[in-house]
Amino acid sequence: MEEVVPASANSQTPTGDAAADQPINVYVWDLDETLILLKSLLDGSFAGHFEGLKDHEKGTEIGKRWENIILELCDEHFFYEEIENYNQPYLSSLHEYDDGKDLTKYDFEADCFSSPFDDANKRKLAYRHRAIGDKYAKGLQKILDHRMFKVWSDLYSSTDKYTDGWLSSAHKLLEEALGKSTPEPAVKSSSINCIVTSGSLVPSIAKCLLYRLDDVVSSDNVYSSWESGKLQCFKWIKERHGGPNVRFCAVGDGPEERSAASIMKWPFVKIEIRPDAPHRFPGLSLSTIHGIMDAVYQSSGKDG
């Protein structure tokens, strides 16, 4: 049975002339154990679901390698040692403090970013966030040297093979959500992928890059619910992207995003790791998600 959080009559559904237009779909994805796998590799729970068919030690070793490369990217390229204790919910959260200064020759090591977290240091953090966003937009080829690029590429390939294509199939689905790999490429999609993760922001941005999600999720659509909670992040997303012809759908594996989706009156698709789960990767399709969304939003329209 498909798990769906029903929408109410207050949900935004197309009316009048807008109904004739293709709705804009905003897909709100969880990151860990939904689009990517890490914790379940480290603790062996992924292998455990396969009753001896997966090498437990190999999965743990793959997970540890991911931990190392994520931390290395954060520390060496994303200022993480400096800003770890100053987590923000999204990269542009301190935009008002950014004066637009050209950062091409800016010396981050000499600007003395530290406590107290006053306006001057908020500006310095905003600079770092902008620099991270710029690096994200350029991609790993502009960040990693040749050796590390190969290490990362090989790790991604071995992980995708071990997980039976979980990573690549998740990426393909997000491509389809944006209309990048549809049978009718001439049809332009206005749909949006957002990520809301319980992890802190900078490591989550690094994960998106390393797990090859940077071409399907922009850095400004990655949200950390570390302090604010997923419900607040969902509200920010609705404030930013909401409209009369916009539909939302949350996809994740945890109770927090399910509860937040219920409060927001959004459809919810639950991801599970076990091989016989109805919604997992590979397996979950855009048509399945759209079917759930259609049922929920059509039902809310009838109720209204």
Side-chain angles (χ1 to χ4, degrees):
M1 182 177 180
E2 294 176 341
E3 182 170 355
V4 178
V5 176
S8 74
N10 292 326
S11 297
Q12 294 178 329
T13 52
T15 58
D17 293 338
D21 298 330
Q22 188 73 16
I24 297 172
N25 294 320
V26 179
Y27 308 95
V28 183
W29 308 89
D30 182 34
L31 183 61
D32 291 275
E33 307 310 310
T34 296
L35 296 178
I36 72 172
L37 298 175
L38 181 56
K39 182 180 180 294
S40 60
L41 296 178
L42 289 166
D43 65 18
S45 59
F46 181 85
H49 285 292
F50 289 82
E51 301 179 348
L53 297 177
K54 295 286 184 183
D55 186 331
H56 179 287
E57 292 185 0
K58 182 177 181 181
T60 301
E61 186 267 337
I62 288 174
K64 289 179 178 178
R65 289 172 63 194
W66 275 112
E67 279 191 320
N68 291 335
I69 198 169
I70 291 166
L71 185 60
E72 182 175 339
L73 181 62
C74 289
D75 287 345
E76 294 191 8
H77 301 282
F78 287 171
F79 316 103
Y80 194 52
E81 289 185 8
E82 292 181 292
I83 66 178
E84 180 178 3
N85 295 323
Y86 302 93
N87 187 59
Q88 297 294 312
Y90 47 93
L91 280 183
S92 62
S93 61
L94 297 174
H95 178 73
E96 63 184 291
Y97 296 95
D98 189 341
D99 57 11
K101 183 183 181 69
D102 184 358
L103 301 179
T104 305
K105 297 181 179 180
Y106 185 80
D107 190 348
F108 288 99
E109 295 182 0
D111 73 352
C112 302
F113 173 75
S114 63
S115 297
F117 197 42
D118 54 16
D119 286 1
N121 280 301
K122 287 179 181 178
R123 183 173 63 253
K124 295 170 187 176
L125 181 56
Y127 287 169
R128 284 160 172 77
H129 281 179
R130 176 151 56 94
I132 290 170
D134 289 344
K135 290 181 179 181
Y136 184 97
K138 292 176 181 176
L140 284 178
Q141 287 183 315
K142 300 294 185 179
I143 300 175
L144 303 179
D145 60 28
H146 178 74
R147 183 189 69 82
M148 279 306 301
F149 190 88
K150 187 177 188 308
V151 168
W152 159 71
S153 182
D154 290 346
L155 177 58
Y156 183 95
S157 297
S158 63
T159 307
D160 202 43
K161 181 178 180 180
Y162 180 80
T163 60
D164 304 314
W166 188 289
L167 305 184
S168 58
S169 61
H171 179 270
K172 183 179 179 181
L173 182 58
L174 267 67
E175 277 191 322
E176 292 174 355
L178 297 180
K180 287 188 173 184
S181 58
T182 61
E184 301 177 50
V187 178
K188 185 177 180 180
S189 172
S190 299
S191 297
I192 299 163
N193 288 321
C194 295
I195 286 177
V196 177
T197 173
S198 58
S200 54
L201 182 63
V202 172
S204 298
I205 294 285
K207 286 177 182 178
C208 288
L209 264 175
L210 291 166
Y211 283 88
R212 298 183 177 174
L213 298 173
D214 52 303
D215 65 331
V216 288
V217 183
S218 63
S219 61
D220 60 343
N221 279 329
V222 179
Y223 293 77
S224 166
S225 65
W226 184 268
E227 288 97 357
S228 57
K230 295 202 170 182
L231 177 58
Q232 179 59 61
C233 290
F234 283 17
K235 289 179 178 178
W236 283 326
I237 289 171
K238 185 175 182 180
E239 288 173 6
R240 181 180 177 191
H241 298 296
N245 201 31
V246 179
R247 309 190 308 174
F248 297 85
C249 183
V251 185
D253 72 306
E256 187 183 0
E257 52 262 34
R258 187 189 192 285
S259 175
S262 177
I263 293 170
M264 297 296 291
K265 312 302 180 187
W266 294 354
F268 176 74
V269 181
K270 181 175 175 57
I271 299 295
E272 296 179 86
I273 292 175
R274 56 187 176 83
D276 60 343
H279 302 138
R280 70 186 306 277
F281 296 108
L284 181 62
S285 68
L286 195 61
S287 61
T288 296
I289 295 176
H290 284 175
I292 293 172
M293 294 175 71
D294 289 344
V296 171
Y297 280 98
Q298 288 171 8
S299 174
S300 69
K302 290 177 181 179
D303 292 342

